[in-house]
Amino acid sequence: MMEVTSQAQEQKLNIDFCEVYKKSNLYRKNKLLISELCKPSLGSCDLYFHTKYSQSFVTQCVTCLWKQNLSYWRNSSYTAMRIFFTVVIALMFGTIFCGLGGKKEKQQDLFNAMGSMYVAVLFMGVSYSTGVQPIVALDRTIFYRERGSCRNVLSIAICLWTSYN
């Protein structure tokens, strides 16, 4: 239909489909029908809903979290890889920093322990965030569809969290 009614076809046929439609009987009937349907019937009242959303905030949060839980269980390869990666990182950092927690003689020992914990958490965060990118790319369409159901800042944060975790 788009190929037949394109501007190139209009020039080729030397006809303006917009003008033909505006001059047609169908156009007049449609305009009349629209004007009739825009007027409320006698005795009718405006639609009223007692809340803006059909479900409560708690129900929306539980539903979003449940859907995300199902999403993770359905993606078993990603979940298995996350568990495997966590075990490998735990073994690696546990081996590297094995005797570090027992040293408390100097202030530098405390700084070393705190720094090693910081590096371990940072390393795990970066590695998990890079691993979740393909999952986020798939769930992005779901997030944009569900975004309309988020009704305040907290529920938007929960929707973001459930969509990206």
PDB file of all heavy atoms in Angstrom, residues 63-93:
ATOM      1  N   THR A  63       4.959  -7.717  41.753  1.00  0.00           N
ATOM      2  CA  THR A  63       4.844  -8.234  40.387  1.00  0.00           C
ATOM      3  C   THR A  63       6.138  -8.024  39.605  1.00  0.00           C
ATOM      4  O   THR A  63       6.602  -8.939  38.908  1.00  0.00           O
ATOM      5  CB  THR A  63       3.672  -7.556  39.661  1.00  0.00           C
ATOM      6  OG1 THR A  63       2.483  -7.770  40.405  1.00  0.00           O
ATOM      7  CG2 THR A  63       3.496  -8.109  38.265  1.00  0.00           C
ATOM      8  N   CYS A  64       6.727  -6.839  39.721  1.00  0.00           N
ATOM      9  CA  CYS A  64       7.997  -6.573  39.018  1.00  0.00           C
ATOM     10  C   CYS A  64       9.099  -7.498  39.517  1.00  0.00           C
ATOM     11  O   CYS A  64       9.868  -8.052  38.719  1.00  0.00           O
ATOM     12  CB  CYS A  64       8.411  -5.120  39.208  1.00  0.00           C
ATOM     13  SG  CYS A  64       7.495  -3.956  38.205  1.00  0.00           S
ATOM     14  N   LEU A  65       9.198  -7.687  40.832  1.00  0.00           N
ATOM     15  CA  LEU A  65      10.230  -8.565  41.379  1.00  0.00           C
ATOM     16  C   LEU A  65       9.992 -10.021  40.977  1.00  0.00           C
ATOM     17  O   LEU A  65      10.935 -10.756  40.675  1.00  0.00           O
ATOM     18  CB  LEU A  65      10.279  -8.420  42.900  1.00  0.00           C
ATOM     19  CG  LEU A  65      10.807  -7.078  43.402  1.00  0.00           C
ATOM     20  CD1 LEU A  65      10.634  -6.965  44.907  1.00  0.00           C
ATOM     21  CD2 LEU A  65      12.257  -6.882  43.020  1.00  0.00           C
ATOM     22  N   TRP A  66       8.735 -10.459  40.964  1.00  0.00           N
ATOM     23  CA  TRP A  66       8.433 -11.826  40.563  1.00  0.00           C
ATOM     24  C   TRP A  66       8.780 -12.059  39.089  1.00  0.00           C
ATOM     25  O   TRP A  66       9.342 -13.094  38.722  1.00  0.00           O
ATOM     26  CB  TRP A  66       6.956 -12.132  40.816  1.00  0.00           C
ATOM     27  CG  TRP A  66       6.598 -13.532  40.436  1.00  0.00           C
ATOM     28  CD1 TRP A  66       5.854 -13.917  39.370  1.00  0.00           C
ATOM     29  CD2 TRP A  66       6.996 -14.728  41.096  1.00  0.00           C
ATOM     30  NE1 TRP A  66       5.751 -15.282  39.326  1.00  0.00           N
ATOM     31  CE2 TRP A  66       6.448 -15.804  40.379  1.00  0.00           C
ATOM     32  CE3 TRP A  66       7.764 -14.990  42.216  1.00  0.00           C
ATOM     33  CZ2 TRP A  66       6.646 -17.120  40.750  1.00  0.00           C
ATOM     34  CZ3 TRP A  66       7.953 -16.315  42.588  1.00  0.00           C
ATOM     35  CH2 TRP A  66       7.401 -17.350  41.859  1.00  0.00           C
ATOM     36  N   LYS A  67       8.460 -11.084  38.243  1.00  0.00           N
ATOM     37  CA  LYS A  67       8.789 -11.220  36.823  1.00  0.00           C
ATOM     38  C   LYS A  67      10.297 -11.277  36.616  1.00  0.00           C
ATOM     39  O   LYS A  67      10.788 -12.032  35.773  1.00  0.00           O
ATOM     40  CB  LYS A  67       8.190 -10.048  36.039  1.00  0.00           C
ATOM     41  CG  LYS A  67       6.697 -10.168  35.854  1.00  0.00           C
ATOM     42  CD  LYS A  67       6.103  -8.919  35.282  1.00  0.00           C
ATOM     43  CE  LYS A  67       6.592  -8.630  33.909  1.00  0.00           C
ATOM     44  NZ  LYS A  67       5.971  -7.453  33.309  1.00  0.00           N
ATOM     45  N   GLN A  68      11.040 -10.486  37.390  1.00  0.00           N
ATOM     46  CA  GLN A  68      12.492 -10.512  37.259  1.00  0.00           C
ATOM     47  C   GLN A  68      13.058 -11.836  37.753  1.00  0.00           C
ATOM     48  O   GLN A  68      13.990 -12.374  37.170  1.00  0.00           O
ATOM     49  CB  GLN A  68      13.108  -9.342  38.029  1.00  0.00           C
ATOM     50  CG  GLN A  68      14.553  -9.119  37.716  1.00  0.00           C
ATOM     51  CD  GLN A  68      14.783  -8.837  36.248  1.00  0.00           C
ATOM     52  OE1 GLN A  68      13.987  -8.194  35.590  1.00  0.00           O
ATOM     53  NE2 GLN A  68      15.880  -9.322  35.721  1.00  0.00           N
ATOM     54  N   ASN A  69      12.495 -12.359  38.826  1.00  0.00           N
ATOM     55  CA  ASN A  69      12.915 -13.662  39.329  1.00  0.00           C
ATOM     56  C   ASN A  69      12.708 -14.741  38.272  1.00  0.00           C
ATOM     57  O   ASN A  69      13.582 -15.579  38.027  1.00  0.00           O
ATOM     58  CB  ASN A  69      12.134 -13.988  40.607  1.00  0.00           C
ATOM     59  CG  ASN A  69      12.579 -15.286  41.228  1.00  0.00           C
ATOM     60  OD1 ASN A  69      13.731 -15.660  41.161  1.00  0.00           O
ATOM     61  ND2 ASN A  69      11.641 -15.994  41.826  1.00  0.00           N
ATOM     62  N   LEU A  70      11.550 -14.736  37.631  1.00  0.00           N
ATOM     63  CA  LEU A  70      11.293 -15.707  36.554  1.00  0.00           C
ATOM     64  C   LEU A  70      12.265 -15.524  35.395  1.00  0.00           C
ATOM     65  O   LEU A  70      12.709 -16.495  34.777  1.00  0.00           O
ATOM     66  CB  LEU A  70       9.863 -15.567  36.055  1.00  0.00           C
ATOM     67  CG  LEU A  70       8.768 -16.125  36.952  1.00  0.00           C
ATOM     68  CD1 LEU A  70       7.403 -15.841  36.343  1.00  0.00           C
ATOM     69  CD2 LEU A  70       8.954 -17.609  37.163  1.00  0.00           C
ATOM     70  N   SER A  71      12.581 -14.274  35.106  1.00  0.00           N
ATOM     71  CA  SER A  71      13.506 -14.004  34.009  1.00  0.00           C
ATOM     72  C   SER A  71      14.871 -14.624  34.276  1.00  0.00           C
ATOM     73  O   SER A  71      15.493 -15.195  33.380  1.00  0.00           O
ATOM     74  CB  SER A  71      13.631 -12.495  33.809  1.00  0.00           C
ATOM     75  OG  SER A  71      14.597 -12.197  32.845  1.00  0.00           O
ATOM     76  N   TYR A  72      15.342 -14.527  35.526  1.00  0.00           N
ATOM     77  CA  TYR A  72      16.635 -15.126  35.861  1.00  0.00           C
ATOM     78  C   TYR A  72      16.573 -16.648  35.836  1.00  0.00           C
ATOM     79  O   TYR A  72      17.498 -17.308  35.372  1.00  0.00           O
ATOM     80  CB  TYR A  72      17.121 -14.653  37.223  1.00  0.00           C
ATOM     81  CG  TYR A  72      17.855 -13.348  37.151  1.00  0.00           C
ATOM     82  CD1 TYR A  72      17.512 -12.291  37.960  1.00  0.00           C
ATOM     83  CD2 TYR A  72      18.899 -13.177  36.257  1.00  0.00           C
ATOM     84  CE1 TYR A  72      18.181 -11.095  37.880  1.00  0.00           C
ATOM     85  CE2 TYR A  72      19.568 -11.988  36.159  1.00  0.00           C
ATOM     86  CZ  TYR A  72      19.217 -10.947  36.986  1.00  0.00           C
ATOM     87  OH  TYR A  72      19.884  -9.771  36.899  1.00  0.00           O
ATOM     88  N   TRP A  73      15.506 -17.239  36.331  1.00  0.00           N
ATOM     89  CA  TRP A  73      15.409 -18.692  36.320  1.00  0.00           C
ATOM     90  C   TRP A  73      15.307 -19.243  34.909  1.00  0.00           C
ATOM     91  O   TRP A  73      15.742 -20.357  34.629  1.00  0.00           O
ATOM     92  CB  TRP A  73      14.217 -19.160  37.159  1.00  0.00           C
ATOM     93  CG  TRP A  73      14.572 -19.228  38.596  1.00  0.00           C
ATOM     94  CD1 TRP A  73      14.162 -18.388  39.580  1.00  0.00           C
ATOM     95  CD2 TRP A  73      15.462 -20.160  39.226  1.00  0.00           C
ATOM     96  NE1 TRP A  73      14.721 -18.738  40.777  1.00  0.00           N
ATOM     97  CE2 TRP A  73      15.530 -19.829  40.585  1.00  0.00           C
ATOM     98  CE3 TRP A  73      16.198 -21.236  38.770  1.00  0.00           C
ATOM     99  CZ2 TRP A  73      16.295 -20.533  41.493  1.00  0.00           C
ATOM    100  CZ3 TRP A  73      16.971 -21.941  39.681  1.00  0.00           C
ATOM    101  CH2 TRP A  73      17.012 -21.593  41.018  1.00  0.00           C
ATOM    102  N   ARG A  74      14.724 -18.484  34.018  1.00  0.00           N
ATOM    103  CA  ARG A  74      14.624 -18.933  32.629  1.00  0.00           C
ATOM    104  C   ARG A  74      15.946 -18.808  31.886  1.00  0.00           C
ATOM    105  O   ARG A  74      16.138 -19.426  30.853  1.00  0.00           O
ATOM    106  CB  ARG A  74      13.541 -18.145  31.906  1.00  0.00           C
ATOM    107  CG  ARG A  74      12.168 -18.510  32.388  1.00  0.00           C
ATOM    108  CD  ARG A  74      11.111 -17.680  31.744  1.00  0.00           C
ATOM    109  NE  ARG A  74       9.806 -18.013  32.294  1.00  0.00           N
ATOM    110  CZ  ARG A  74       8.799 -17.185  32.345  1.00  0.00           C
ATOM    111  NH1 ARG A  74       8.922 -15.967  31.864  1.00  0.00           N
ATOM    112  NH2 ARG A  74       7.659 -17.552  32.871  1.00  0.00           N
ATOM    113  N   ASN A  75      16.837 -17.964  32.392  1.00  0.00           N
ATOM    114  CA  ASN A  75      18.147 -17.778  31.775  1.00  0.00           C
ATOM    115  C   ASN A  75      19.182 -18.500  32.626  1.00  0.00           C
ATOM    116  O   ASN A  75      19.996 -17.886  33.303  1.00  0.00           O
ATOM    117  CB  ASN A  75      18.456 -16.279  31.666  1.00  0.00           C
ATOM    118  CG  ASN A  75      19.599 -16.014  30.742  1.00  0.00           C
ATOM    119  OD1 ASN A  75      20.295 -16.934  30.321  1.00  0.00           O
ATOM    120  ND2 ASN A  75      19.808 -14.758  30.440  1.00  0.00           N
ATOM    121  N   SER A  76      19.152 -19.813  32.588  1.00  0.00           N
ATOM    122  CA  SER A  76      19.999 -20.611  33.475  1.00  0.00           C
ATOM    123  C   SER A  76      21.484 -20.488  33.151  1.00  0.00           C
ATOM    124  O   SER A  76      22.313 -20.590  34.053  1.00  0.00           O
ATOM    125  CB  SER A  76      19.567 -22.075  33.429  1.00  0.00           C
ATOM    126  OG  SER A  76      19.664 -22.551  32.106  1.00  0.00           O
ATOM    127  N   SER A  77      21.825 -20.252  31.909  1.00  0.00           N
ATOM    128  CA  SER A  77      23.249 -20.143  31.574  1.00  0.00           C
ATOM    129  C   SER A  77      23.865 -18.909  32.217  1.00  0.00           C
ATOM    130  O   SER A  77      24.982 -18.958  32.730  1.00  0.00           O
ATOM    131  CB  SER A  77      23.436 -20.104  30.060  1.00  0.00           C
ATOM    132  OG  SER A  77      22.801 -18.973  29.509  1.00  0.00           O
ATOM    133  N   TYR A  78      23.120 -17.804  32.237  1.00  0.00           N
ATOM    134  CA  TYR A  78      23.627 -16.594  32.878  1.00  0.00           C
ATOM    135  C   TYR A  78      23.746 -16.785  34.389  1.00  0.00           C
ATOM    136  O   TYR A  78      24.745 -16.399  34.997  1.00  0.00           O
ATOM    137  CB  TYR A  78      22.717 -15.407  32.563  1.00  0.00           C
ATOM    138  CG  TYR A  78      23.072 -14.163  33.332  1.00  0.00           C
ATOM    139  CD1 TYR A  78      24.255 -13.478  33.073  1.00  0.00           C
ATOM    140  CD2 TYR A  78      22.242 -13.677  34.328  1.00  0.00           C
ATOM    141  CE1 TYR A  78      24.597 -12.348  33.782  1.00  0.00           C
ATOM    142  CE2 TYR A  78      22.570 -12.556  35.040  1.00  0.00           C
ATOM    143  CZ  TYR A  78      23.747 -11.892  34.770  1.00  0.00           C
ATOM    144  OH  TYR A  78      24.081 -10.779  35.490  1.00  0.00           O
ATOM    145  N   THR A  79      22.751 -17.417  34.998  1.00  0.00           N
ATOM    146  CA  THR A  79      22.787 -17.642  36.443  1.00  0.00           C
ATOM    147  C   THR A  79      23.932 -18.585  36.810  1.00  0.00           C
ATOM    148  O   THR A  79      24.654 -18.340  37.783  1.00  0.00           O
ATOM    149  CB  THR A  79      21.441 -18.220  36.918  1.00  0.00           C
ATOM    150  OG1 THR A  79      20.397 -17.330  36.505  1.00  0.00           O
ATOM    151  CG2 THR A  79      21.398 -18.387  38.413  1.00  0.00           C
ATOM    152  N   ALA A  80      24.130 -19.639  36.043  1.00  0.00           N
ATOM    153  CA  ALA A  80      25.227 -20.569  36.308  1.00  0.00           C
ATOM    154  C   ALA A  80      26.577 -19.884  36.142  1.00  0.00           C
ATOM    155  O   ALA A  80      27.501 -20.110  36.935  1.00  0.00           O
ATOM    156  CB  ALA A  80      25.120 -21.769  35.380  1.00  0.00           C
ATOM    157  N   MET A  81      26.693 -19.032  35.152  1.00  0.00           N
ATOM    158  CA  MET A  81      27.958 -18.325  34.943  1.00  0.00           C
ATOM    159  C   MET A  81      28.239 -17.356  36.091  1.00  0.00           C
ATOM    160  O   MET A  81      29.387 -17.213  36.524  1.00  0.00           O
ATOM    161  CB  MET A  81      27.903 -17.572  33.602  1.00  0.00           C
ATOM    162  CG  MET A  81      29.235 -17.131  33.114  1.00  0.00           C
ATOM    163  SD  MET A  81      30.246 -18.590  32.846  1.00  0.00           S
ATOM    164  CE  MET A  81      31.838 -17.886  32.997  1.00  0.00           C
ATOM    165  N   ARG A  82      27.202 -16.692  36.591  1.00  0.00           N
ATOM    166  CA  ARG A  82      27.388 -15.792  37.733  1.00  0.00           C
ATOM    167  C   ARG A  82      27.840 -16.554  38.966  1.00  0.00           C
ATOM    168  O   ARG A  82      28.749 -16.115  39.688  1.00  0.00           O
ATOM    169  CB  ARG A  82      26.073 -15.077  38.054  1.00  0.00           C
ATOM    170  CG  ARG A  82      26.056 -13.677  37.622  1.00  0.00           C
ATOM    171  CD  ARG A  82      24.854 -12.910  38.025  1.00  0.00           C
ATOM    172  NE  ARG A  82      24.035 -13.512  39.064  1.00  0.00           N
ATOM    173  CZ  ARG A  82      22.907 -13.002  39.490  1.00  0.00           C
ATOM    174  NH1 ARG A  82      22.460 -11.900  38.974  1.00  0.00           N
ATOM    175  NH2 ARG A  82      22.212 -13.581  40.423  1.00  0.00           N
ATOM    176  N   ILE A  83      27.237 -17.712  39.232  1.00  0.00           N
ATOM    177  CA  ILE A  83      27.635 -18.516  40.394  1.00  0.00           C
ATOM    178  C   ILE A  83      29.068 -19.011  40.226  1.00  0.00           C
ATOM    179  O   ILE A  83      29.882 -18.925  41.157  1.00  0.00           O
ATOM    180  CB  ILE A  83      26.655 -19.695  40.587  1.00  0.00           C
ATOM    181  CG1 ILE A  83      25.292 -19.157  41.023  1.00  0.00           C
ATOM    182  CG2 ILE A  83      27.192 -20.693  41.606  1.00  0.00           C
ATOM    183  CD1 ILE A  83      24.184 -20.185  41.013  1.00  0.00           C
ATOM    184  N   PHE A  84      29.403 -19.497  39.052  1.00  0.00           N
ATOM    185  CA  PHE A  84      30.764 -19.964  38.796  1.00  0.00           C
ATOM    186  C   PHE A  84      31.776 -18.837  38.957  1.00  0.00           C
ATOM    187  O   PHE A  84      32.822 -19.010  39.587  1.00  0.00           O
ATOM    188  CB  PHE A  84      30.850 -20.559  37.382  1.00  0.00           C
ATOM    189  CG  PHE A  84      32.244 -20.924  36.962  1.00  0.00           C
ATOM    190  CD1 PHE A  84      32.862 -22.052  37.478  1.00  0.00           C
ATOM    191  CD2 PHE A  84      32.942 -20.131  36.060  1.00  0.00           C
ATOM    192  CE1 PHE A  84      34.149 -22.383  37.102  1.00  0.00           C
ATOM    193  CE2 PHE A  84      34.226 -20.454  35.684  1.00  0.00           C
ATOM    194  CZ  PHE A  84      34.840 -21.585  36.196  1.00  0.00           C
ATOM    195  N   PHE A  85      31.457 -17.681  38.397  1.00  0.00           N
ATOM    196  CA  PHE A  85      32.367 -16.541  38.479  1.00  0.00           C
ATOM    197  C   PHE A  85      32.551 -16.090  39.928  1.00  0.00           C
ATOM    198  O   PHE A  85      33.657 -15.720  40.333  1.00  0.00           O
ATOM    199  CB  PHE A  85      31.831 -15.405  37.612  1.00  0.00           C
ATOM    200  CG  PHE A  85      32.866 -14.407  37.219  1.00  0.00           C
ATOM    201  CD1 PHE A  85      33.958 -14.770  36.458  1.00  0.00           C
ATOM    202  CD2 PHE A  85      32.754 -13.082  37.619  1.00  0.00           C
ATOM    203  CE1 PHE A  85      34.914 -13.844  36.090  1.00  0.00           C
ATOM    204  CE2 PHE A  85      33.704 -12.160  37.254  1.00  0.00           C
ATOM    205  CZ  PHE A  85      34.788 -12.544  36.497  1.00  0.00           C
ATOM    206  N   THR A  86      31.494 -16.133  40.731  1.00  0.00           N
ATOM    207  CA  THR A  86      31.595 -15.761  42.139  1.00  0.00           C
ATOM    208  C   THR A  86      32.512 -16.712  42.886  1.00  0.00           C
ATOM    209  O   THR A  86      33.347 -16.280  43.695  1.00  0.00           O
ATOM    210  CB  THR A  86      30.198 -15.745  42.787  1.00  0.00           C
ATOM    211  OG1 THR A  86      29.371 -14.834  42.081  1.00  0.00           O
ATOM    212  CG2 THR A  86      30.268 -15.343  44.239  1.00  0.00           C
ATOM    213  N   VAL A  87      32.389 -17.998  42.621  1.00  0.00           N
ATOM    214  CA  VAL A  87      33.245 -18.983  43.284  1.00  0.00           C
ATOM    215  C   VAL A  87      34.704 -18.778  42.869  1.00  0.00           C
ATOM    216  O   VAL A  87      35.615 -18.803  43.717  1.00  0.00           O
ATOM    217  CB  VAL A  87      32.768 -20.421  42.962  1.00  0.00           C
ATOM    218  CG1 VAL A  87      33.768 -21.459  43.427  1.00  0.00           C
ATOM    219  CG2 VAL A  87      31.412 -20.663  43.601  1.00  0.00           C
ATOM    220  N   VAL A  88      34.947 -18.550  41.605  1.00  0.00           N
ATOM    221  CA  VAL A  88      36.322 -18.347  41.125  1.00  0.00           C
ATOM    222  C   VAL A  88      36.923 -17.089  41.749  1.00  0.00           C
ATOM    223  O   VAL A  88      38.076 -17.100  42.217  1.00  0.00           O
ATOM    224  CB  VAL A  88      36.355 -18.271  39.583  1.00  0.00           C
ATOM    225  CG1 VAL A  88      37.693 -17.769  39.084  1.00  0.00           C
ATOM    226  CG2 VAL A  88      36.047 -19.628  38.983  1.00  0.00           C
ATOM    227  N   ILE A  89      36.174 -16.002  41.797  1.00  0.00           N
ATOM    228  CA  ILE A  89      36.680 -14.763  42.393  1.00  0.00           C
ATOM    229  C   ILE A  89      36.924 -14.949  43.883  1.00  0.00           C
ATOM    230  O   ILE A  89      37.933 -14.475  44.427  1.00  0.00           O
ATOM    231  CB  ILE A  89      35.710 -13.591  42.126  1.00  0.00           C
ATOM    232  CG1 ILE A  89      35.761 -13.211  40.655  1.00  0.00           C
ATOM    233  CG2 ILE A  89      36.050 -12.383  42.983  1.00  0.00           C
ATOM    234  CD1 ILE A  89      34.754 -12.160  40.267  1.00  0.00           C
ATOM    235  N   ALA A  90      36.013 -15.655  44.572  1.00  0.00           N
ATOM    236  CA  ALA A  90      36.197 -15.905  46.001  1.00  0.00           C
ATOM    237  C   ALA A  90      37.462 -16.710  46.262  1.00  0.00           C
ATOM    238  O   ALA A  90      38.239 -16.395  47.175  1.00  0.00           O
ATOM    239  CB  ALA A  90      34.979 -16.626  46.567  1.00  0.00           C
ATOM    240  N   LEU A  91      37.687 -17.746  45.465  1.00  0.00           N
ATOM    241  CA  LEU A  91      38.910 -18.539  45.629  1.00  0.00           C
ATOM    242  C   LEU A  91      40.159 -17.730  45.310  1.00  0.00           C
ATOM    243  O   LEU A  91      41.170 -17.808  46.012  1.00  0.00           O
ATOM    244  CB  LEU A  91      38.839 -19.789  44.754  1.00  0.00           C
ATOM    245  CG  LEU A  91      37.825 -20.854  45.173  1.00  0.00           C
ATOM    246  CD1 LEU A  91      37.762 -21.963  44.135  1.00  0.00           C
ATOM    247  CD2 LEU A  91      38.175 -21.403  46.542  1.00  0.00           C
ATOM    248  N   MET A  92      40.085 -16.926  44.251  1.00  0.00           N
ATOM    249  CA  MET A  92      41.243 -16.136  43.852  1.00  0.00           C
ATOM    250  C   MET A  92      41.618 -15.104  44.916  1.00  0.00           C
ATOM    251  O   MET A  92      42.764 -15.045  45.371  1.00  0.00           O
ATOM    252  CB  MET A  92      40.945 -15.432  42.520  1.00  0.00           C
ATOM    253  CG  MET A  92      42.121 -14.649  41.971  1.00  0.00           C
ATOM    254  SD  MET A  92      41.776 -13.936  40.356  1.00  0.00           S
ATOM    255  CE  MET A  92      40.580 -12.696  40.760  1.00  0.00           C
ATOM    256  N   PHE A  93      40.646 -14.310  45.350  1.00  0.00           N
ATOM    257  CA  PHE A  93      40.947 -13.292  46.354  1.00  0.00           C
ATOM    258  C   PHE A  93      41.205 -13.910  47.730  1.00  0.00           C
ATOM    259  O   PHE A  93      41.989 -13.372  48.512  1.00  0.00           O
ATOM    260  CB  PHE A  93      39.827 -12.261  46.430  1.00  0.00           C
ATOM    261  CG  PHE A  93      39.879 -11.252  45.331  1.00  0.00           C
ATOM    262  CD1 PHE A  93      38.814 -11.100  44.468  1.00  0.00           C
ATOM    263  CD2 PHE A  93      40.993 -10.448  45.148  1.00  0.00           C
ATOM    264  CE1 PHE A  93      38.854 -10.176  43.454  1.00  0.00           C
ATOM    265  CE2 PHE A  93      41.048  -9.522  44.141  1.00  0.00           C
ATOM    266  CZ  PHE A  93      39.972  -9.384  43.280  1.00  0.00           C
TER     267      PHE A  93
END
